[in-house]
Amino acid sequence: MTQRPAVLIMQRHLAPLSAFLEGAYDVYRFWEGPPVEAAGDIRALIVAGEFELDKALIERLPNLSLIACFTAGYDGIDVEWCRARGLPVTHAPGVNHEDVADHAIGLILAARRQIAEGDRTIRAGEWKLSTRSITTSLGGQRLGIVGLGHIGEAVARRAEVMRMDIRWWAPREKETAWPRADSLIDLARGSDVLVVACRADESNRGLISAEVIEALGPSGLLVNVARGQLVDEDAVIAALKDGRLGGAALDVFAQEPTEAARWSGVPNTVLTPHTGGATTEAVQGMLMLLLQNLSAHFADEPLKTPVAD
């Protein structure tokens, strides 16, 4: 094995991390080719949590001892499978949830107040004094939040200031100032805006189903800042085209990058390219936790932020 620990960065968009790792580690990049000759040297994988972890690759790395997730979410990682093989998993919790909540509120405003549409109107030279777009006030709008973790709570605090009426739903009870709906369907049926903010895993894939979308209805706005797999995207598109769903404001998609053609002709949408938590400050925080977890692991010290469940 090499003198310095070797790490393997799995996703190409994490390439900028190399500059911060190369002083202390031998860095390999998976997109440059699987490190066949260095397989015995790799001690840690550095991954983005939304991508499915390649179990076959892990089994070809005999000295792998850590899965270091750069992001807060780790839905692409089978944590129990890793633990059964003695592989701890770390992530970056509590770093970008406030930024994601800001983005969720921005999506609500953009959709309800037609901000993006107004921009397009002016740029197309279609603004006329004879017509004025009348939009919807957020005050008194009923906001339903699916999942009341760090992101959900941050959204609720912001929405409360904006005079929205807040309810939430999650499978487990939680002590909170806001009432919990009896079911997800009940929450959707009683919401003008439904924000998806829960953690994703295999148990809740397609949670926002066609039935939930129908319950939200032709005046409802669906906002997703969690994971694309939580939503039946085909059902959303069909409902938007048919007028059975009022609007959708999405930062995450079933496949990323999502194809532009998929959204061609789909009305009443605001789409952003998974940028909700991508602020300079959040990225710096995630980088700090990644470096601290790697350092602690290779010094046989307690990990800074291991996945707890």
Side-chain angles (χ1 to χ4, degrees), residues 112-193:
R112 281 298 195 228
R113 300 304 306 273
Q114 298 180 15
I115 292 172
E117 183 61 32
D119 178 83
R120 287 192 291 268
T121 296
I122 290 175
R123 294 179 188 279
E126 296 174 355
W127 183 17
K128 297 179 177 63
L129 293 178
S130 58
T131 60
R132 183 183 294 273
S133 178
I134 305 298
T135 63
T136 302
S137 173
L138 293 187
Q141 288 267 296
R142 300 169 300 170
L143 174 65
I145 302 174
V146 183
L148 204 69
H150 289 310
I151 295 172
E153 284 192 351
V155 171
R157 292 197 307 271
R158 286 156 174 76
E160 197 167 50
V161 173
M162 298 170 71
R163 312 176 319 284
M164 299 184 81
D165 181 20
I166 300 158
R167 287 200 308 161
W168 65 281
W169 178 85
R172 291 184 291 275
E173 283 279 6
K174 182 175 183 177
E175 193 68 31
T176 176
W178 305 289
R180 177 176 179 262
D182 293 333
S183 67
L184 176 55
I185 293 295
D186 175 59
L187 181 71
R189 189 175 292 121
S191 296
D192 299 302
V193 180

Side-chain angles (χ1 to χ4, degrees), residues 84-98:
R85 285 152 181 79
L87 285 173
V89 179
T90 62
H91 66 138
V95 173
N96 68 355
H97 61 282
E98 299 286 358

Side-chain angles (χ1 to χ4, degrees), residues 208-221:
I208 308 303
S209 62
E211 184 182 8
V212 174
I213 293 162
E214 292 291 334
L216 185 56
S219 298
L221 171 66

Side-chain angles (χ1 to χ4, degrees), residues 49-77:
E50 64 267 31
F51 293 90
E52 185 175 356
L53 191 62
D54 186 344
K55 294 178 180 177
L57 171 66
I58 289 177
E59 291 176 338
R60 294 195 299 271
L61 303 175
N63 292 300
L64 186 68
S65 58
L66 178 69
I67 308 295
C69 183
F70 181 67
T71 53
Y74 50 89
D75 41 292
I77 302 170

